[in-house]
Amino acid sequence: RRPERFTPMRLLQFTAGAGAMYCGSCLHSNTLALHLSALGVDVTLVPLYTPTRTDEKNASTGHVFFGGISVFLEESVPFMRRLPKIFDALWDSKAALYAVGLLNTSTDPASLGPMTVSMLRGEAGHQKKEVEHLSHWLDHQPRFDIALIPYALLLGLAPSMKARGLKVHIDKGLLECDFGQWTGAELKKLMKLPEWSTVQRAPSTFTFPGGESFIAMQTRMVTAIDRLRAKHAGGVIVLVSHADPIKAAVAHAMGTHIDLFQRIVIGTCSVSAIAYGGGAPIVLTVNSTGGSLAELRPS
């Protein structure tokens, strides 16, 4: 009997460009897409806001959705929200987006707040035209099996993805630690606070003002991993998170106390792999940034 033909899973993955800068998040998304492709997954990496800049082969598609200039204009100028999308071609071009990316600009949380809320509203927000443009493109693509939306700001896309049969699951257990009142503060200023030494040397005793503790973050992360691996027992799952939650998960798997988890290094674009079975977890690799993951496949 001839074996049945294998059909690879089709994955729609989004990544946010950062203009002319090297962005850790962009690099992570690109590396993940390349590794998944090497494992046989049919990955379509879609850039948003600006083209992505990478230090290896760029796995993203050529077309940029939610062009950064359009997103800003539609938030700031009501007339632009009604302008037919065809007229946006000039400022949605790669040349225009790259030129804007070269500008030395800073972000002001107070001024970007309304646009953030609008983006989270998806088709109900001021960027409705951008959501419709992406939806139109999706309608003309072969069906994807699952969509990976790695940024909370893009959750407004979830209803549109679900409407097209894509499996979209929002798991807050994998989010970054809730830094509370420290969120958005400059690291160099935080390092001058007397609490900083506690964060580094005895994190188990520290709770961020208005946020969560390191222990709560580790418990949340490990609980999410346990729930997801139980749901996909015997399979391989890929989870994307931030450095500290990944450190906390690795420390838990290794039986390392949370007070020592800062000794674990989790770099940008790195991959850490843990095997779970009937006994204790087995840490296969930590902070891997080169080579194929094929050798981690069970024999």
Side-chain angles (χ1 to χ4, degrees):
R1 181 183 176 183
R2 296 178 61 185
E4 295 182 5
R5 183 178 179 180
F6 172 72
T7 302
M9 180 182 73
R10 283 181 49 77
L11 170 66
L12 174 63
Q13 180 185 351
F14 293 101
T15 183
M21 298 185 298
Y22 284 109
C23 164
S25 179
C26 305
L27 296 175
H28 184 282
S29 296
N30 193 76
T31 299
L32 178 62
L34 290 175
H35 279 304
L36 290 176
S37 296
L39 292 174
V41 179
D42 185 1
V43 182
T44 298
L45 182 62
V46 177
L48 306 176
Y49 312 134
T50 73
T52 58
R53 185 179 184 185
T54 66
D55 58 355
E56 58 184 339
K57 177 184 176 182
N58 196 318
S60 65
T61 62
H63 188 78
V64 177
F65 290 92
F66 283 83
I69 302 175
S70 290
V71 168
F72 176 79
L73 291 176
E74 288 162 15
E75 182 64 31
S76 307
V77 185
F79 168 74
M80 300 300 296
R81 304 167 196 167
R82 301 185 296 272
L83 193 68
K85 187 62 183 173
I86 190 173
F87 291 101
D88 297 344
L90 176 61
W91 42 86
D92 278 345
S93 67
K94 283 188 176 182
L97 292 172
Y98 182 78
V100 170
L102 293 175
L103 298 177
N104 184 19
T105 59
S106 59
T107 57
D108 177 14
S111 62
L112 293 180
M115 184 163 64
T116 300
V117 173
S118 178
M119 283 289 295
L120 290 172
R121 296 182 65 195
E123 290 184 298
H126 295 154
Q127 289 73 33
K128 176 182 178 181
K129 185 168 60 173
E130 305 306 313
V131 178
E132 291 176 342
H133 180 48
L134 175 60
S135 299
H136 177 75
W137 176 80
L138 284 173
D139 289 338
H140 292 79
Q141 299 299 310
R143 186 181 182 279
F144 292 97
D145 297 300
I146 191 169
L148 174 58
I149 305 177
Y151 311 105
L153 188 62
L154 302 178
L155 294 183
L157 297 177
S160 180
M161 302 295 102
K162 288 184 177 180
R164 284 156 181 80
L166 289 170
K167 300 176 182 178
V168 179
H169 178 68
I170 301 171
D171 199 313
K172 296 181 179 179
L174 304 177
L175 292 178
E176 173 66 288
C177 184
D178 182 358
F179 300 121
Q181 298 172 15
W182 287 23
T183 301
E186 294 184 24
L187 186 59
K188 62 181 180 180
K189 293 182 179 180
L190 294 175
M191 293 174 67
K192 297 178 181 179
L193 297 177
E195 298 94 330
W196 186 255
S197 62
T198 304
V199 171
Q200 296 298 313
R201 299 180 181 180
S204 66
T205 66
F206 186 77
T207 299
F208 289 97
E212 67 180 338
S213 66
F214 281 101
I215 291 179
M217 178 269 287
Q218 183 184 50
T219 301
R220 166 171 58 78
M221 184 71 173
V222 172
T223 300
I225 293 175
D226 287 344
R227 173 169 29 81
L228 291 170
R229 67 183 181 87
K231 184 177 180 180
H232 302 279
V236 177
I237 58 176
V238 177
L239 307 180
V240 181
S241 187
H242 297 261
D244 278 354
I246 296 174
K247 288 181 188 178
V250 170
H252 181 271
M254 296 176 65
T256 301
H257 195 277
I258 189 67
D259 279 344
L260 305 177
F261 94 121
Q262 297 286 20
R263 301 182 184 184
I264 300 172
V265 176
I266 298 295
T268 301
C269 309
S270 68
V271 174
S272 299
I274 304 172
Y276 293 91
I282 300 175
V283 179
L284 302 176
T285 187
V286 176
N287 197 42
S288 174
T289 57
S292 172
L293 297 179
E295 64 269 18
L296 298 181
R297 287 177 173 174
S299 58

